[in-house]
Amino acid sequence: MRLTCMFSFILLFGAAGLIVFIHLQDPEEIVHQQTPGIKYNMGFQQPKKDCISSNNWDRRLRKNTADGIATVKLSGSLHPAENVPTKLQSTDRRQSSITLGKDYEQQGEEINSIRLHKRRRRFVIKKSPILISMNSSTLNLPTLKSEDRSNSKWKTLYQIQSERKQIMRETCSKYKSNNRRIITPYHVSRIFVEDKYRVLYCEVPKAGCSNWKRVLMVLNGLAASTKDIQHNTVHYGNYLKRLDGFDRKGIYHRLNTYTKMLFIREPFEKLVSAFRDKFEHPNNYYHPVFGKAIISRYRVNATKEALRTGSGVKFKEFIQYLLDVHRPVGMDIHWDHVNRLCSPCLIDYDFVGKFESMEEDANFFLHLIGAPQNLTFPKFKDRHSNEERTTTKITQQYFAQLSPSQRQRSYDFYYMDYLMFNYSKPFEDLY
């Protein structure tokens, strides 16, 4: 009998302790546990000085609830209260309002809900990256001047641009889900800004990026001629501004009003060009960082010298690294997907040029933006000028070193780039 009473007492004591624990649990933690995977709509954020302070929030809340309505206005609200629909804030920065009930009898519940939302909002802001809402560009490809409309060459190039952009949009619509149209500063980190002619250029390595930076520097008045600008000045001089260096307002404004362009290249050809540049010539970064890791992982019976220097990486070893889901060293912009570098499914590029028709496309773009007539795209090879450019024939020679399976997996790796930019399969046996 005593054992039964003691057991019952312990059970009741434990239940009471559990109830007290639940009651004292932080509401912020409870909400976080009850809503796994919740998505928060992100509006265009105002600077911190426009945010409502805690004291102002409480005073406004007390004033409104006295009238039977609790309305809290947020500049660029990040996280809505539960069951309250929100929309991405428009470019005129309208403030979104959250109405929390109209029944005076429910004021106590409403106040608790507001305070709970306030705590949760403060918690999520701490944990979330800064996001910027992105709408379709208000600017499309500049229209042809009246005197150019009778020029068959300009008309043909203009039509090619329309077709390229159409294919890109259709591919994005079919394979990508970007209904939220939200970008982060990471998405614009490869975009260079030229404010005088209002140009945004997304850098794609091994697709004429060095010469495009020279052109942007001339447009910006930093040099008189592209020939005067050395390679190190282009890449290490920090003369050009990147879009992620601006505040949210500056990024948003430029994305919606500047002419956005990128130049791309056949993926396999771009890959071979990068390999030749970084691994077949002395390089005090790619050899010790990438070369040593690749040789160590993929070369059987590697010599001590090769392991020490990282020099002499073979193309087949490089492809093994590229296709390995557990790479010994991370990705690099020189062989990453254009789809990841420039986010063409998030950013509406107005002009899409190709390396294969670089001179024609580049000079057409300069004509469209009204660049000085004496400025043309440079033809010279930026590095290893005595070496032949990477061509389709050279690319095929490198890929002939691979097995059919490796070629297929390499094609699969760059499949979205092939599809989005309408490049043909480089080998007939690919599917």
Side-chain angles (χ1 to χ4, degrees), residues 26-158:
D26 187 354
E28 180 177 301
E29 297 295 330
I30 294 174
V31 171
H32 187 65
Q33 292 166 13
Q34 288 178 345
T35 55
I38 188 167
K39 294 182 179 179
Y40 297 94
N41 286 333
M42 304 294 184
F44 184 85
Q45 302 172 26
Q46 299 291 343
K48 284 186 177 180
K49 65 181 181 181
D50 294 334
C51 294
I52 300 173
S53 68
S54 179
N55 292 335
N56 289 340
W57 179 298
D58 290 335
R59 284 199 297 271
R60 182 176 295 182
L61 180 62
R62 287 195 294 269
K63 180 179 181 298
N64 288 337
T65 51
D67 298 326
I69 298 176
T71 302
V72 180
K73 293 187 177 181
L74 298 175
S75 296
S77 175
L78 282 177
H79 310 296
E82 290 190 61
N83 301 323
V84 180
T86 62
K87 292 183 180 179
L88 288 178
Q89 194 175 36
S90 61
T91 54
D92 60 1
R93 305 179 188 173
R94 294 194 301 268
Q95 294 181 324
S96 60
S97 61
I98 305 174
T99 303
L100 304 171
K102 294 183 180 181
D103 190 350
Y104 183 76
E105 296 177 357
Q106 298 178 352
Q107 286 178 19
E109 294 180 6
E110 292 166 353
I111 292 172
N112 289 335
S113 176
I114 294 290
R115 287 175 178 166
L116 180 62
H117 166 63
K118 178 179 158 187
R119 291 192 197 101
R120 185 178 66 186
R121 180 174 178 269
R122 189 164 53 236
F123 172 77
V124 179
I125 287 174
K126 244 183 229 184
K127 300 293 182 183
S128 301
I130 297 173
L131 300 179
I132 303 168
S133 60
M134 176 62 196
N135 295 315
S136 296
S137 172
T138 57
L139 181 73
N140 289 315
L141 184 66
T143 56
L144 285 173
K145 300 175 185 177
S146 56
E147 60 268 26
D148 294 334
R149 292 172 186 168
S150 58
N151 187 314
S152 59
K153 177 184 176 182
W154 295 140
K155 287 175 64 177
T156 300
L157 291 173
Y158 199 88

Side-chain angles (χ1 to χ4, degrees), residues 354-405:
K354 290 192 173 185
F355 183 84
E356 293 76 19
S357 53
M358 175 63 79
E359 184 178 354
E360 192 173 49
D361 287 350
N363 291 327
F364 178 51
F365 176 79
L366 293 173
H367 177 78
L368 284 174
I369 65 170
Q373 293 185 357
N374 63 342
L375 176 61
T376 57
F377 192 80
K379 299 179 182 179
F380 57 83
K381 196 171 184 285
D382 188 56
R383 287 162 61 83
H384 318 304
S385 56
N386 295 327
E387 187 176 83
E388 184 182 359
R389 286 185 184 273
T390 302
T391 61
T392 301
K393 182 179 179 181
I394 291 176
T395 300
Q396 290 177 343
Q397 291 172 356
Y398 276 80
F399 273 88
Q401 303 171 27
L402 307 181
S403 67
S405 174

